[in-house]
Amino acid sequence: MKSTRQLSRFNLIFIADTAYSLHQWMILTLLIKWSTPLNIGYFNYALALTAPIVMFCWLNASTILTAERSGLKNFNLFIKTRFSLLTVGVFVLLVVYYFFGEADILWLTLLVYLNKYMESFADLAYGFLQGHMAFKEVALSKIFRSLVNVSGAALILFTTHSIHGFVLALVAGNLVMLVLYDLPTVRRIGHGFENQQMSERYRTGRQLFFKAVPLGFVALLIALNANIPRLFVGQAIGTEELGYYASIAYLLVLGSLFIHSLVAVLLPNFSSDSGERQSLPELRKLTRSMLLMTNAVGILLIIGSIFFGKWGLTIFYNASFVQYHTIFVLMMVASLFFYNSTVIQALLTGFQQFRIQTIAIFGSVVVNLVACSLLIPLYGLYGATTAYGLCAVTQIGLLIPALYRSLYPRKLALAIEQSS
């Protein structure tokens, strides 16, 4: 019965994440169809500047909300903390833009940041709802948000061809969904849990920040890993080439929507209904299942990219992308390692292992920076994709020992030996 409920929840989240990921891909496709390669490059450059700052300010707090099954007071605390951090983040963004931004994209960069501002509160709502097993409500929100955003952005772009108006339409769509659906749903689902408290680690905004700041650094470093190649490509090769590279890189979403659905459904199983963590044998079994499914998805995508990649690039985008078929295949190989990394990070979060994630991903960022600086000037987009893959391999190599120590703690092994 429990496995049947989990399958039903997975189906709901998978359908919703598929719709949500397709809507993000369609947004990029709209730019390809109705805008210029230069505008696509500008849009992705603005994303590359804003993403690390935004991801740090998010503190990966939605994962904590899911794992802890918090009450409404905690949800409101998370909202206030994120609002404060994102507001401060605007000034950090202006400093980053001064040193790394391109001319004429300041307003576009600020609009992209504002859109992420709106999305961040929906992210907290999803974390809260998933923690309370309200998967149907999350699915409906993601599906309706996708419809509103795509229709609004398509209308504005088709009629005005303005990339600024295009991003403003996304901001408006996210705001409408937040006010009319997400926040009222959180209040309804959270009714009766107003005073339910999480761990004492998260009773105040200051406690939340200092406990979760390692997760914020992890999120920042993950965003850097994704965007370092883009920044190097934009500077060393050109903005139009960045448009091609970023469009192909976005196809990693083909597998990530499955992985994120898997994590969303199975992560709450780290705790029983009483809030206590399950036994280590159960968690080991859960880990094996998650990694097995993750690798199966990654391998299937690699095979698909080899045999059907050219056809897929033509259908998804246009015939000009076929020349980058090898880049697509290499990107899928790198994705296999990043999908595994995503699952391992979620599992380590369930074990409250935050600091080790920061150390491991920092190491992968260093590898990414060095590889990009050496390979991109010599090999162009091939160098960027290779650097991304090396970063992924490094990340996996540094995270696996931490997961093993969590699943097979030394003290437990010694206790078993002494009892025998």
Side-chain angles (χ1 to χ4, degrees), residues 343-357:
V343 171
I344 293 173
Q345 288 172 63
L347 292 168
L348 289 173
T349 299
F351 281 112
Q352 301 292 315
Q353 297 292 323
F354 300 153
R355 188 175 300 174
I356 188 63
Q357 296 184 52

Side-chain angles (χ1 to χ4, degrees), residues 33 38-39 187 212 267 293 351:
K33 300 293 185 182
L38 189 61
N39 277 341
R187 286 194 292 269
L267 187 59
M293 287 186 278
F351 281 112

Side-chain angles (χ1 to χ4, degrees), residues 73-374:
K73 282 188 175 180
N74 289 113
F75 176 77
N76 293 331
L77 172 65
F78 276 54
I79 285 284
K80 293 176 183 176
T81 304
R82 182 166 287 185
F83 178 84
S84 300
L85 288 173
L86 285 169
T87 302
V88 173
V90 173
F91 299 99
V92 178
L93 176 63
L94 291 174
V95 173
V96 171
Y97 176 83
Y98 178 80
F99 289 102
F100 300 103
E102 288 196 2
D104 302 326
I105 65 166
L106 174 61
W107 289 112
L108 179 62
T109 302
L110 291 174
L111 287 175
V112 168
Y113 187 86
L114 180 60
N115 185 49
K116 293 297 180 182
Y117 208 104
M118 295 295 107
E119 288 181 352
S120 71
F121 300 117
D123 172 69
L124 284 180
Y126 295 155
F128 179 88
L129 294 172
Q130 286 167 180
H132 290 282
M133 304 298 179
F135 294 104
K136 179 180 178 181
E137 286 75 9
V138 174
L140 288 174
S141 175
K142 289 188 174 182
I143 290 171
F144 283 123
R145 174 173 269 101
S146 302
L147 293 173
V148 170
N149 283 352
V150 170
S151 58
L155 177 63
I156 294 298
L157 191 62
F158 182 73
T159 55
T160 68
H161 300 287
S162 168
I163 191 169
H164 296 83
F166 170 79
V167 180
L168 271 175
L170 297 177
V171 173
N174 284 317
L175 179 61
V176 167
M177 284 300 303
L178 183 68
V179 173
L180 297 185
Y181 187 85
D182 296 330
L183 294 181
T185 302
V186 166
R187 286 194 292 269
R188 176 173 60 83
I189 297 297
H191 183 69
F193 298 97
E194 290 90 346
N195 298 315
Q196 178 176 316
Q197 292 290 338
M198 296 192 301
S199 165
E200 293 182 357
R201 297 183 294 264
Y202 310 110
R203 294 293 175 84
T204 66
R206 182 177 179 179
Q207 287 177 322
L208 169 62
F209 176 78
F210 283 108
K211 185 61 183 179
V213 72
L215 288 179
F217 278 115
V218 168
L220 182 151
L221 294 173
I222 291 172
L224 278 176
N225 268 336
N227 289 290
I228 284 172
R230 300 182 186 188
L231 291 172
F232 272 91
V233 168
Q235 293 288 337
I237 306 177
T239 306
E240 291 192 21
E241 287 294 307
L242 171 61
Y244 281 109
Y245 176 82
S247 300
I248 294 172
Y250 194 78
L251 292 176
L252 267 68
V253 77
L254 293 171
S256 64
L257 61 92
F258 177 90
I259 305 305
H260 289 140
S261 302
L262 187 70
V263 169
V265 172
L266 295 183
L267 187 59
N269 290 334
F270 258 73
S271 299
S272 64
D273 293 336
S274 63
E276 298 176 353
R277 180 174 289 154
Q278 293 187 12
S279 64
L280 280 175
E282 288 294 323
L283 294 180
R284 290 167 189 159
K285 182 179 179 181
L286 175 66
T287 299
R288 286 193 296 269
S289 299
M290 293 176 73
L291 291 176
L292 179 63
M293 287 186 278
T294 299
N295 283 282
V297 170
I299 291 171
L300 286 174
L301 286 175
I302 293 172
I303 295 172
S305 67
I306 293 172
F307 292 102
F308 305 105
K310 293 182 179 180
W311 174 81
L313 289 172
T314 303
I315 297 298
F316 292 153
Y317 299 125
N318 56 53
S320 66
F321 280 80
V322 173
Q323 61 183 312
Y324 298 104
H325 174 238
T326 305
I327 299 294
F328 181 34
V329 174
L330 291 174
M331 195 68 70
M332 290 298 104
V333 173
S335 73
L336 173 64
F337 296 99
F338 275 112
Y339 296 156
N340 278 279
S341 176
T342 299
V343 171
I344 293 173
Q345 288 172 63
L347 292 168
L348 289 173
T349 299
F351 281 112
Q352 301 292 315
Q353 297 292 323
F354 300 153
R355 188 175 300 174
I356 188 63
Q357 296 184 52
T358 308
I359 296 171
I361 300 175
F362 178 78
S364 69
V365 169
V366 172
V367 170
N368 201 1
L369 278 170
V370 173
C372 283
S373 62
L374 295 176

